[in-house]
Amino acid sequence: MMQKKAKFGLLFVLPYLLTFAIFQLYPIIYSFYLSLTTQVSNKEFVFCGFKNYIHLLQDRMFWKSIGNTWIIWLLCFIPQIICALLLAILLSQHKIKGAGFFRAAFYLPNLVTAASIGVLFSVLFDWQTGTVNKILLQLGFIKQAVNWMSMPSFARGITAFIQWWMWFGYSTILLTAGIKAIPEELLEAAVVDGANSRQKLFKITLPLLKPTMLYVLVTSLIGGMQIFDIPMTLTNGNGEPQKSLMTMVLYLYNSAFRNHNYSYGATVSYGLFIVVLVFSLLFYKVLYPNMTEKVPKKLVNRSKTQ
């Protein structure tokens, strides 16, 4: 009887396994194979071992793309997490009228495609016909039109601002859910013990928000390292000015599809995977340095008392 139920379970799981094998597992394995080859023609690949990875370590543009990606992500994530945390605290722990409306309004930019927003901001910051230059000229803040996208600092700042504007609402909703998951009994007990609002925030709310903040951090890191749409639409895929918007995924795209070097593009993709994996593990270790040690001890002690 149990064997029949197990067979039926396998039948239900089989469509997912087939989909995963065809659309995820096979591309992962095949792209790794491509990274170990040299492309002779569009359809001919010759095995070369780890030659592409050695070249990747010596590729200045690859390292520059990593630096660009990190700068843009940090410029986006730091104000994003601060703004999202403040809004989450205000909307969950303080009685504000229309809190649900504000959550929906903050989340709204996340529903628009990144490519559309990139095109919108490229039009707004166009130095000849852009709305931003026209408004600043009329207000007298500038005397002549500014070519914003010709300066690396402004180009990165605009890209980071777009990313922040798109994703701070999403982070706000996640942190709000994390705050609401904190038991009210803990906050009430803290008030009884004489804790003020600041002590409740730093001694109870923020420590118990660490799992949610870790999730926001890691998912933001993964998404930030894969930023592609905004730099692609703002620079037409060139990563200018001075290659300051040449992110890792944009470099991958140019290597594989513009230069038609699929072998090296696959190598860049695995370099991106290693970067994301290493820093995700580092962030996890920083936020939870003793997690692997404490959990087994608690389980052992609990099992002894039962």
Side-chain angles (χ1 to χ4, degrees):
M1 197 63 187
M2 292 296 295
Q3 291 180 350
K4 289 183 179 181
K5 289 184 179 180
K7 290 180 180 179
F8 282 115
L10 289 174
L11 288 175
F12 282 112
V13 175
L14 187 60
Y16 167 78
L17 293 178
L18 289 175
T19 304
F20 172 77
I22 295 172
F23 295 103
Q24 290 187 335
L25 184 61
Y26 172 73
I28 290 172
I29 296 173
Y30 185 67
S31 61
F32 181 69
Y33 163 74
L34 286 179
S35 70
L36 301 177
T37 62
T38 299
Q39 187 171 349
V40 180
S41 63
N42 287 336
K43 296 182 179 180
E44 186 177 357
F45 301 89
V46 179
F47 183 79
C48 66
F50 291 95
K51 182 179 178 180
N52 288 330
Y53 289 95
I54 295 173
H55 176 64
L56 186 69
L57 294 174
Q58 301 170 350
D59 189 350
R60 292 184 178 180
M61 184 52 65
F62 173 70
W63 292 107
K64 184 177 179 63
S65 69
I66 293 177
N68 292 336
T69 307
W70 271 98
I71 291 171
I72 294 171
W73 178 71
L74 288 173
L75 288 174
C76 163
F77 180 74
I78 293 174
Q80 175 187 325
I81 193 66
I82 294 173
C83 182
L85 186 59
L86 290 175
L87 289 173
I89 293 171
L90 288 173
L91 294 175
S92 59
Q93 293 188 346
H94 298 273
K95 295 181 179 180
I96 297 178
K97 293 183 178 179
F101 167 77
F102 287 114
R103 293 193 194 100
F106 295 150
Y107 186 76
L108 188 61
N110 191 248
L111 300 177
V112 185
T113 60
S116 302
I117 293 176
V119 172
L120 171 64
F121 275 84
S122 65
V123 173
L124 290 175
F125 284 93
D126 184 86
W127 76 281
Q128 291 179 321
T129 60
T131 307
V132 174
N133 273 333
K134 289 183 178 181
I135 293 174
L136 294 177
L137 284 170
Q138 291 179 355
L139 294 175
F141 290 110
I142 57 176
K143 295 182 179 180
Q144 58 182 3
V146 179
N147 190 354
W148 305 100
M149 296 305 297
S150 67
M151 296 173 283
S153 57
F154 277 102
R156 287 171 177 165
I158 292 170
T159 306
F161 173 78
I162 296 172
Q163 289 292 113
W164 167 83
W165 180 66
M166 287 181 62
W167 290 100
F168 83 94
Y170 174 78
S171 300
T172 300
I173 290 177
L174 290 178
L175 293 176
T176 301
I179 292 174
K180 286 187 174 295
I182 298 174
E184 288 289 338
E185 294 80 5
L186 294 177
L187 299 173
E188 292 173 358
V191 173
V192 172
D193 291 338
N196 54 32
S197 300
R198 183 178 179 182
Q199 290 173 330
K200 287 193 298 180
L201 175 63
F202 288 99
K203 298 295 183 179
I204 298 176
T205 303
L206 292 182
L208 292 177
L209 263 183
K210 283 177 67 176
T212 307
M213 294 182 70
L214 175 65
Y215 176 80
V216 173
L217 174 62
V218 173
T219 53
S220 177
L221 173 67
I222 294 172
M225 294 298 104
Q226 296 178 1
I227 180 174
F228 169 76
D229 310 74
I230 304 300
M232 179 68 183
T233 52
L234 288 177
T235 67
N236 197 25
N238 297 318
E240 300 295 342
Q242 302 176 24
K243 302 299 180 183
S244 59
L245 294 186
M246 181 62 72
T247 60
M248 286 189 286
V249 178
L250 186 57
Y251 184 55
L252 186 161
Y253 172 82
N254 288 337
S255 299
F257 300 105
R258 285 196 167 182
N259 300 331
H260 303 288
N261 191 345
Y262 301 109
S263 297
Y264 195 64
T267 308
V268 175
S269 69
Y270 271 89
L272 169 62
F273 166 73
I274 292 171
V275 169
V276 173
L277 177 64
V278 169
F279 281 96
S280 297
L281 293 175
L282 285 176
F283 286 143
Y284 184 84
K285 286 294 184 181
V286 169
L287 290 176
Y288 292 97
N290 301 319
M291 176 64 76
T292 56
E293 296 179 3
K294 288 183 178 180
V295 173
K297 290 181 180 179
K298 289 181 179 179
L299 292 176
V300 171
N301 294 334
R302 188 176 296 175
S303 63
K304 287 182 179 178
T305 58
Q306 291 179 351

